[in-house]
């Protein structure tokens, strides 16, 4: 009886796969951070401070924004074709365009509905408007993600 043997190219394949995972993970984290800062720059106040202080609306809106950024990044990675460098570049480009589209779309929704996002984010109690803005983040993230495919 022999134990299963590993083919001669196995280590190379595993090494390349681990490298790709790490590169895509770094790119994903960077895009999500950039998305966070894009939302932060386009909203009144310091979003990271509001989240750190536990303001419930800021936490809800930020969480929805991060989930929607993840949709965009995941689909950009999934839809990337070609070699590793081409896949990373496509993911970067689609991720950046997705961030711009999402942030612009959410700000437009806030303007059209008359939501004062600054007042919502700084409120000490949950406001219904936070759910509208959060839903807009998730919905736009899904729309952009599917558009990438």
């Amino acid at each position: 009886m022999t134990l299963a043997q590993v083919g001669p190219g196995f280590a190379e394949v595993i090494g390349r796969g681990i490298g790709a995972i790490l590169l895509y993970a770094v790119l994903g984290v960077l895009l999500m951070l950039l998305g966070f800062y894009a939302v932060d720059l386009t909203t009144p106040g310091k979003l990271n401070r509001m989240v750190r202080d536990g303001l419930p609306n800021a936490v809800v809106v930020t969480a929805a924004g991060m989930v929607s950024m993840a949709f965009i990044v995941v689909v950009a990675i999934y839809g990337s074709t070609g070699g590793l460098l081409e896949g990373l570049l496509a993911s970067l480009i689609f991720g950046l365009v997705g961030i711009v589209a999402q942030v612009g779309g959410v700000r437009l929704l806030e303007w059209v509905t008359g939501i004062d996002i600054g007042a919502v984010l700084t409120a000490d109690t949950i406001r219904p408007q936070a759910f509208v803005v959060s839903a807009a983040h998730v919905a736009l993230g899904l729309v952009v993600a599917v558009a990438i495919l």
Side-chain angles (χ1 to χ4, degrees), residues 89-104:
L89 285 173
S91 298
L92 174 64
I93 293 165
F94 290 142
L96 291 173
V97 171
I99 288 168
V100 170
Q102 180 188 355
V103 170

Side-chain angles (χ1 to χ4, degrees), residues 17-149:
I18 290 171
I21 289 168
L22 294 174
L23 288 171
Y24 277 114
V26 167
L27 178 63
V29 168
L30 291 174
L31 284 170
M32 289 180 68
L33 286 172
L34 185 62
F36 172 82
Y37 284 113
V39 171
D40 186 26
L41 286 172
T42 60
T43 56
K46 292 297 295 167
L47 193 55
N48 62 350
R49 181 171 291 127
M50 289 184 259
V51 169
R52 195 172 43 250
D53 291 343
L55 294 173
N57 300 302
V59 171
V60 168
V61 170
T62 301
M66 297 307 292
V67 168
S68 64
M69 292 296 164
F71 289 147
I72 294 167
V73 171
V74 166
V75 174
I77 291 169
Y78 178 77
S80 64
T81 58
L84 178 59
L85 181 58
E86 292 167 338
L88 288 166
L89 285 173
S91 298
L92 174 64
I93 293 165
F94 290 142
L96 291 173
V97 171
I99 288 168
V100 170
Q102 180 188 355
V103 170
V106 170
R107 297 291 87 88
L108 179 63
L109 172 90
E110 291 166 357
W111 178 73
V112 167
T113 59
I115 293 174
D116 179 356
I117 192 63
V120 171
L121 293 175
T122 58
D124 289 333
T125 58
I126 289 287
R127 299 269 176 96
Q129 298 92 331
F131 294 106
V132 172
V133 174
S134 296
H137 273 292
V138 173
L140 282 166
L142 287 169
V143 168
V144 171
V146 171
I148 291 170
L149 293 176

